[in-house]
């Protein structure tokens, strides 16, 4: 059998090396097919934006049943929380999410404005109700909307307040938002400075829908980096990238003449 060229990939259950999928409207049958073929490599499943409010109860429960029985954690996108908070119904949203069987909630302010005390309040309230809590840092607008220091501070404060994982905003496109330029390339100097300031990098999920972005984080943080907003149909392709089973990462363990060398020489940390 062929061994993984990049060793050290963790299996389930895992607390790092997470893959979070974004679902923008897949049918239950499609979800079943994806989970059957790639479920071992999916940890969180985000019902993108406010899409979970558009399904019939039967369709929503059908999708959630497939995910939950496969050890995948489904959750509604943070935009739904933002809408509920803006309309004064955040408490009811948490109630309804629990009734529907969600065990995880995302708290974000990508579109609305939410001051720090309110953010802390809802992180703690969601934890009090027994949810896994994901928070998201960054705005759904073009460019860096905060300084690197502000990003690092908010990520650290969310985790200190009780969030299980903190997500760095990258949207579903990975373009023209946060640390990504309009062509999807990365502001490497700025994101490198952010990485240096993170107290718990294994509790950060980097939204990285594009292959070049995924490769960047694998090179910087290793095969067990947490990656999010992965299109559901590209989970196996990402897993191959993590393990060095694609040319893009296989070359990290090869000398220029094609001979193998230690992956540590390529800057990968295990």
């Amino acid at each position: 059998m062929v061994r993984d060229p990049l060793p050290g990939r963790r299996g389930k259950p895992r607390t790092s090396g997470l893959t979070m999928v974004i679902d923008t409207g897949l049918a239950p049958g499609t979800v079943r097919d994806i989970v059957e073929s790639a479920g071992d490599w999916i940890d969180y499943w985000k019902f993108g934006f406010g899409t979970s409010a558009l399904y019939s109860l039967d369709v929503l429960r059908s999708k959630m049943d497939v995910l939950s029985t496969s050890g995948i954690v489904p959750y509604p996108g943070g935009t739904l929380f933002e809408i509920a908070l803006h309309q004064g119904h955040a408490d009811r949203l948490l109630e309804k999410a629990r009734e529907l069987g969600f065990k995880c909630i995302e708290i974000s302010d990508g579109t609305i404005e939410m001051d720090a005390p309110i953010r802390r309040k809802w992180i703690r309230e969601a934890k009090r109700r027994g949810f896994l809590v994901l928070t998201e840092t960054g705005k759904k607008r073009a460019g860096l909307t905060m300084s690197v220091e502000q990003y690092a501070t908010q990520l650290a404060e969310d985790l200190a307040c009780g969030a299980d994982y903190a997500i760095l905003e990258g949207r579903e496109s990975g373009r023209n938002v946060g640390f990504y330029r309009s062509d999807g390339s990365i502001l490497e100097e700025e994101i490198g400075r952010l990485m240096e300031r993170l107290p718990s990098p294994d509790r950060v999920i980097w939204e990285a829908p594009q292959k070049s972005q995924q490769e960047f984080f694998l090179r910087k943080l290793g095969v067990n980096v947490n990656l999010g907003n992965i299109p559901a149909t590209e989970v196996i392709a990402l897993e191959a990238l993590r393990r060095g089973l694609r040319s893009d990462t296989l070359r990290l363990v090869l000398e220029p003449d094609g001979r193998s060398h230690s992956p540590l020489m390529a800057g990968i940390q295990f």
Side-chain angles (χ1 to χ4, degrees):
M1 288 293 292
V2 172
R3 296 191 306 273
D4 291 346
L6 294 178
R9 180 70 174 118
R10 297 189 181 110
K12 284 186 172 181
R14 54 184 161 248
T15 56
S16 63
L18 304 176
T19 293
M20 176 262 278
V21 158
I22 182 169
D23 173 358
T24 60
L26 296 175
T30 304
V31 174
R32 280 192 293 272
D33 289 345
I34 289 169
V35 169
E36 182 179 352
S37 62
D40 286 347
W41 303 299
I42 302 171
D43 302 282
Y44 286 84
W45 187 283
K46 175 167 65 177
F47 289 84
F49 336 123
T51 56
S52 51
L54 298 176
Y55 299 114
S56 71
L57 197 55
D58 286 345
V59 168
L60 182 60
R61 284 184 169 154
S62 175
K63 294 178 71 167
M64 288 182 61
D65 286 348
V66 170
L67 298 167
S68 298
T69 56
S70 302
I72 299 168
V73 180
Y75 69 97
T79 298
L80 197 63
F81 172 82
E82 293 184 38
I83 293 167
L85 183 64
H86 175 69
Q87 295 177 351
H89 301 307
D91 187 75
R92 178 59 184 143
L93 175 67
L94 296 186
E95 253 179 56
K96 188 65 176 177
R98 176 59 71 194
E99 289 171 10
L100 292 170
F102 285 109
K103 297 180 180 177
C104 180
I105 206 79
E106 181 183 324
I107 293 173
S108 66
D109 59 357
T111 305
I112 67 169
E113 297 300 325
M114 177 168 51
D115 61 27
I118 297 297
R119 190 179 181 94
R120 289 193 295 268
K121 169 190 171 180
W122 287 107
I123 294 172
R124 290 171 177 149
E125 180 60 20
K127 289 299 293 182
R128 186 187 70 79
R129 297 186 189 208
F131 286 101
L132 285 165
V133 175
L134 309 180
T135 60
E136 187 174 67
T137 293
K139 294 294 185 182
K140 299 183 189 299
R141 298 198 297 267
L144 281 174
T145 55
M146 300 185 292
S147 68
V148 170
E149 290 71 22
Q150 287 172 321
Y151 273 96
T153 296
Q154 185 167 96
L155 290 164
E157 286 180 353
D158 287 353
L159 295 172
C161 193
D164 294 277
Y165 292 93
I167 301 169
L168 194 71
E169 174 70 72
R171 304 210 71 179
E172 70 280 5
S173 66
R175 292 188 177 92
N176 203 29
V177 63
F179 292 86
Y180 298 134
R181 299 183 181 93
S182 59
D183 63 355
S185 61
I186 298 170
L187 297 172
E188 294 193 18
E189 180 182 346
E190 290 83 351
I191 212 162
R193 284 167 37 215
L194 175 63
M195 288 176 177
E196 292 172 356
R197 288 163 170 76
L198 294 177
S200 303
D202 58 334
R203 292 173 64 198
V204 174
I205 299 174
W206 310 85
E207 290 189 343
Q210 296 188 28
K211 179 175 66 70
S212 60
Q213 298 160 359
Q214 297 157 15
E215 183 181 345
F216 170 84
F217 288 111
L218 287 166
R219 289 173 64 97
K220 290 293 184 181
L221 297 173
V223 299
N224 289 306
V225 62
N226 303 318
L227 296 174
N229 275 15
I230 306 304
T233 56
E234 296 179 20
V235 170
I236 290 180
L238 168 60
E239 192 64 24
L241 198 67
R242 286 186 186 272
R243 296 170 183 265
L245 297 172
R246 290 178 70 172
S247 173
D248 310 85
T249 46
L250 173 59
R251 63 173 175 256
L252 299 180
V253 298
L254 298 177
E255 299 283 4
D257 61 4
R259 291 179 299 177
S260 179
H261 72 95
S262 167
L264 290 171
M265 295 177 66
I268 295 175
Q269 306 161 22
F270 299 105

